[in-house]
Amino acid sequence: MLEKLDLSKKVSKEDYNKQMDVLGERLGKAQRMARDAKRPIIIVFEGWRGARRSALINEMMQQMDARGFNVYSSVRLRGVLQEQPFFSAFWKRLPALGHIAVYHRSWYYLKNANEMADKAEDDSKYPVVSFEHINNFEKMLTDDNYLVLKFFLHLSPEQQKKNIAKNAKTLGKAWRDLNPAIDESEDYNKFLPHYEKMLEATDTVNAPWHLIADDDPRSARLEVFTKIADAIEKAVQMPVEPAADKRTAATYDVLSTIDANKELTKEEYKEKLDKYQKKLTQLQIEMFKAQIPVVIGFEGWDAAGKGGAIRRLTAALDPLGFHVHPIAAPNVVEKQFHYQWRFWTRLPQPGTIAIFDRTWYGRVMVERIEGFAKPQEWQRAYDEIKDMEAQWSEHGIAIAKFWLQIDKDEQLRRFNDRQNDPNKQWKITDEDWRNRDKWDAYEAAVNEMLVRTDTSYAPWTVVEGNNKYYVRLKVLKTVIDLFERKLAEKQQ
Amino acid sequence: MLEKLDLSKKVSKEDYNKQMDVLGERLGKAQRMARDAKRPIIIVFEGWRGARRSALINEMMQQMDARGFNVYSSVRLRGVLQEQPFFSAFWKRLPALGHIAVYHRSWYYLKNANEMADKAEDDSKYPVVSFEHINNFEKMLTDDNYLVLKFFLHLSPEQQKKNIAKNAKTLGKAWRDLNPAIDESEDYNKFLPHYEKMLEATDTVNAPWHLIADDDPRSARLEVFTKIADAIEKAVQMPVEPAADKRTAATYDVLSTIDANKELTKEEYKEKLDKYQKKLTQLQIEMFKAQIPVVIGFEGWDAAGKGGAIRRLTAALDPLGFHVHPIAAPNVVEKQFHYQWRFWTRLPQPGTIAIFDRTWYGRVMVERIEGFAKPQEWQRAYDEIKDMEAQWSEHGIAIAKFWLQIDKDEQLRRFNDRQNDPNKQWKITDEDWRNRDKWDAYEAAVNEMLVRTDTSYAPWTVVEGNNKYYVRLKVLKTVIDLFERKLAEKQQ
């Protein structure tokens, strides 16, 4: 692809200034249009070492309003990436609705740099992400109305040498040392096919690459700025996609095969609870030593006993090594981002446990049923969620997901108990009763979710829930088994 | 203080369970009361190594709702603290309105640990904070209706030895290695006066220490939980402090002595701008190499040219090394915290520059004049802000603060210009006109601010603003001088 570019284009200083007068106004206006239309924008600058990324970005900033405009560099993210899954660093830097995030080198740079490092040093273990995950990440964002603009600044080998020499002279060696980067100048021809492959694999209809001839930086800037203004102006005029229900409804039936009644005496319970909790206390220490992060998600009918099960689980854990994240309707800030944002930004540190009381599966349950997500949104969420969990798992996160199943009659009994006990009344709200009226719709959604998102790396455990003692033990036992399996895998 | 404690208290298991039945309910209820009353709560657990902090916290968690209840440990914060001012790590972990933050060891532990380390290793440079800053931090929070509860778990030397041995046996040596901490067991008597001094210096009326005899952990828990329930129940019933204007108004007059008109030809401007920007580009690199963080704050009348001055400043900077933070009215999330929170959480990384377009001084300007802050709130803010800036400065942050001064006539001219230019209309709002009507009130507030918060470590620079060229050069020159001074200091 790059060889087709005409690197000889040139623009005089006079022409450049004249055009920039107009283009500058257009950029500023485009930013305000995007803000009004609440379109989030991601602009990625990749390309050869020596390309004039910083100067270009600075010129763009002069035209923009600093409110809602952020510049991020990926060069110093490598250490961060080792701690959490590859894309979590970028989720943390995602622009909010109507904001612009500019990436001075991005996930592409990090993938390349990490691949090179892994070849060079055997002991380095920098995470490398697949092109598939990259494409899924960008697709998920553009599906959610993010505008993703990717620029590759191309240089001829001669110009690259000149630029690097000039930088070294102007800024001194120190600046270069402070900006460690892939240095392709030593073997330009070896890197060219590498970049070609990257561009080919990730040039998609929703997030295409813009290849820019950067031998003449004035020509490059005019081209980049024009493309940005064009893209934003077009995007804000695009009609909103109509709500479309494109799929045949799934008619899975998992729940009706479950008998929620399980026998367990209080004596059996007490004895095993004590045994399991002691075991778990030990295992938490080993998981910490092995630096394995853990994500445990709880879903289930209202009053199915999620809170109690979580309490019996955490009673055995050192509070320094776990965090419970209760998930309710997204708050004002969370609504400014993609629905996955609040989960990516709550991932556990190495060796610690993140427990979610309700999870990202709200997308295909409550958001589906209440219409907070359009049909095409919740329908594609199954794939999006699977990709997310796959990335977590590939990073080494141990994942457990529980569905707590109770009968409709059992729920009614518990609702009435809560209503009649002054100490428990705060637990029951009108919303619980409203949700109960939609039992059948939820049942269909849960069935589809349990089938579609049950994977080898993040399987669902359905817990028979009418007997609370049984629930607690099954949760504990499942977590214990998961920890033991992960520790055994790590030792191999 | 500690010697007065009766360490022989004991509670039987039976008594404990009976009392906990009642106390557990009370704790859960107290949490819901605090949530309804929007009272944020901070609970600090300090004390000897071997004290049963984790078990105590876990027991408390069993009684609490996980929503809005967070546990933080300070043991692994030391590395973080080296990068930013001491208290920034705790500002980031501040509870929101109605939430509870539990600190398993806190700023007290870190102060102690860092002092010990500095004595042990000459090359270690862990930051140590003064008792004065600690008291100011807690006072600022309690003044803002935070409830701060501090517990010191006291052990006899015999019991400490027993507990440590028991932990080592149950949890293995590994757990201990994972929890590096001050180990006072080797020289209990040396540490005792050290802790005494700490308790004396920080036992304040607004955030007193609760000394707890922990030789018998059951007795300790009952005491701690009772104190927590008592304190919350009392706090939520406290009447809201009436708005009080306790001070004599200041009648400083700085602004009237300023002649906002300065002569400067376009030729002089262009020549010097180029020279200053080149200089600044070099200095940014040196500041990065020296890892000196920078905070630059801009205040001034509406239309005084803050945006233009910031643009000329940033035009000379590498976008990877600075960040512009536009500060408007606090958003929904920011309103859940103390007013300083959004500034502490935006501090620059080592070697980088944080530019604030409007600042924390909003507290003593717009919040004062519009009544968003009560008289006692903005009146104490001068001291609070000075303490904040002093902490930043002691950490090594270079601070510049600009007030851009224009005449009332000049402002009118600029407002009309904006109103009449279709490309600039978006810059002017009804609010600007409303603020203009309150010119005199703002003038008094600005005068007081410029006098009261002009310190050696964070001085105000008043910029004569009628001539935009002059403004831009004076800002650049002031920043250049600051950078050169800080670099020279560092080299000494």
Side-chain angles (χ1 to χ4, degrees), chain B residues 14 36 85 158 175 178 191 216 276-277 283 320 431 484:
Chain B
E14 208 186 353
D36 293 343
E158 302 74 33
W175 191 240
L178 295 173
F191 274 87
D216 176 50
Y276 287 167
Q277 289 188 333
L283 284 171
L320 303 189
E431 205 189 322
E484 285 181 335

Side-chain angles (χ1 to χ4, degrees), chain B residues 97-112:
Chain B
L97 292 184
H99 287 213
I100 300 176
V102 172
Y103 297 90
H104 175 284
R105 299 184 180 272
S106 68
W107 39 98
Y108 291 101
Y109 164 76
L110 278 167
K111 176 176 164 64
N112 286 330

Side-chain angles (χ1 to χ4, degrees), chain A residues 58 62 70 311 317 323 333, chain B residues 58 62 70 317 323 333:
Chain A
N58 208 325
Q62 299 300 313
N70 286 295
R311 262 194 206 91
L317 299 172
H323 204 110
V333 171
Chain B
N58 208 326
Q62 299 300 313
N70 285 297
L317 300 172
H323 205 109
V333 172

Side-chain angles (χ1 to χ4, degrees), chain B residues 172-222:
Chain B
K173 195 183 156 296
W175 191 240
R176 190 165 168 182
D177 294 343
L178 295 173
N179 279 294
I182 310 171
D183 192 349
E184 326 93 341
S185 60
E186 286 166 19
D187 198 348
Y188 186 96
N189 288 323
K190 201 188 84 189
F191 274 87
L192 191 57
H194 189 84
Y195 284 139
E196 285 281 354
K197 199 180 137 197
M198 171 186 100
L199 294 169
E200 276 166 29
T202 57
D203 188 49
T204 57
V205 62
N206 54 298
W209 279 102
H210 300 283
L211 310 180
I212 307 291
D214 193 44
D215 272 15
D216 176 50
R218 282 195 287 265
S219 144
R221 284 185 207 176
L222 290 178

Side-chain angles (χ1 to χ4, degrees), chain A residues 197-250:
Chain A
K197 199 180 138 198
M198 171 188 99
L199 294 169
E200 277 167 29
T202 58
D203 187 51
T204 58
V205 62
N206 54 299
W209 279 102
H210 300 283
L211 310 180
I212 307 292
D214 192 43
D215 272 14
D216 176 49
R218 283 195 286 265
S219 145
R221 285 185 206 174
L222 290 178
E223 204 181 333
V224 167
F225 296 156
T226 305
K227 279 191 196 298
I228 291 174
D230 284 352
I232 297 177
E233 288 164 7
K234 194 175 152 195
V236 295
Q237 281 160 18
M238 256 178 24
V240 175
E241 201 192 343
D245 190 343
K246 293 174 184 168
R247 287 200 334 203
T248 317

Side-chain angles (χ1 to χ4, degrees), chain B residues 81-365:
Chain B
L81 284 189
Q82 280 175 286
E83 298 233 317
Q84 295 201 317
F86 190 89
F87 270 111
S88 44
F90 298 103
W91 280 98
K92 285 180 192 153
R93 289 162 178 78
L94 206 65
L97 292 184
H99 287 213
I100 300 176
V102 172
Y103 297 90
H104 175 284
R105 299 184 180 272
S106 68
W107 39 98
Y108 291 101
Y109 164 76
L110 278 167
K111 176 176 164 64
N112 286 330
N114 290 358
E115 270 168 10
M116 302 298 155
D118 279 347
K119 278 176 198 161
E121 316 152 39
D122 263 353
D123 58 338
S124 86
K125 284 281 169 290
Y126 292 112
V128 174
V129 79
S130 68
F131 287 132
E132 194 189 342
H133 284 320
I134 288 181
N135 287 339
N136 286 342
F137 174 68
E138 295 174 357
K139 178 81 164 54
M140 188 154 41
L141 295 177
T142 55
D143 275 347
D144 203 38
N145 282 318
Y146 284 69
L147 183 61
V148 177
L149 299 170
K150 306 187 296 192
F151 295 94
F152 188 94
L153 301 180
H154 186 40
L155 290 176
S156 64
E158 302 74 33
Q159 189 65 42
Q160 186 189 34
K161 280 211 176 62
K162 273 190 219 159
N163 290 1
I164 291 176
K166 198 180 164 200
N167 281 346
K169 204 178 147 205
T170 325
L171 303 173
K173 195 183 156 296
W175 191 240
R176 190 165 168 182
D177 294 343
L178 295 173
N179 279 294
I182 310 171
D183 192 349
E184 326 93 341
S185 60
E186 286 166 19
D187 198 348
Y188 186 96
N189 288 323
K190 201 188 84 189
F191 274 87
L192 191 57
H194 189 84
Y195 284 139
E196 285 281 354
K197 199 180 137 197
M198 171 186 100
L199 294 169
E200 276 166 29
T202 57
D203 188 49
T204 57
V205 62
N206 54 298
W209 279 102
H210 300 283
L211 310 180
I212 307 291
D214 193 44
D215 272 15
D216 176 50
R218 282 195 287 265
S219 144
R221 284 185 207 176
L222 290 178
E223 202 181 334
V224 167
F225 296 157
T226 304
K227 280 192 196 297
I228 291 175
D230 284 351
I232 297 177
E233 287 163 7
K234 192 175 154 197
V236 295
Q237 282 160 18
M238 253 178 26
V240 176
E241 201 193 343
D245 190 342
K246 292 174 187 169
R247 283 202 336 204
T248 315
T251 51
Y252 298 109
D253 198 352
V254 181
L255 295 183
S256 70
T257 67
I258 308 282
D259 178 3
N261 292 302
K262 289 275 176 180
E263 295 288 325
L264 192 75
T265 66
K266 191 162 184 178
E267 286 66 45
E268 272 184 278
Y269 168 65
K270 282 209 163 174
E271 189 194 318
K272 283 201 171 165
L273 181 70
D274 190 54
K275 194 182 111 193
Y276 287 167
Q277 289 188 333
K278 280 195 175 121
K279 182 77 192 161
L280 196 60
T281 302
Q282 291 296 335
L283 284 171
Q284 185 192 13
I285 298 170
E286 286 177 46
M287 291 290 279
F288 189 86
K289 277 159 65 184
Q291 291 284 286
I292 302 173
V294 182
V295 166
I296 304 176
F298 284 87
E299 291 286 358
W301 297 103
D302 288 330
K306 289 189 294 295
I310 292 173
R311 263 194 205 92
R312 270 24 164 244
L313 180 67
T314 57
L317 300 172
D318 190 306
L320 303 189
F322 74 87
H323 205 109
V324 180
H325 301 282
I327 301 299
N331 66 26
V332 168
V333 172
E334 289 161 349
K335 278 184 189 150
Q336 307 297 307
F337 297 91
H338 189 279
Y339 77 94
Q340 284 191 0
W341 177 81
R342 57 176 172 158
F343 305 105
W344 278 94
T345 53
R346 282 175 169 82
L347 285 180
Q349 290 296 309
T352 70
I353 304 167
I355 297 170
F356 291 89
D357 185 352
R358 300 200 182 277
T359 70
W360 41 98
Y361 285 99
R363 187 71 167 177
V364 293
M365 293 197 292

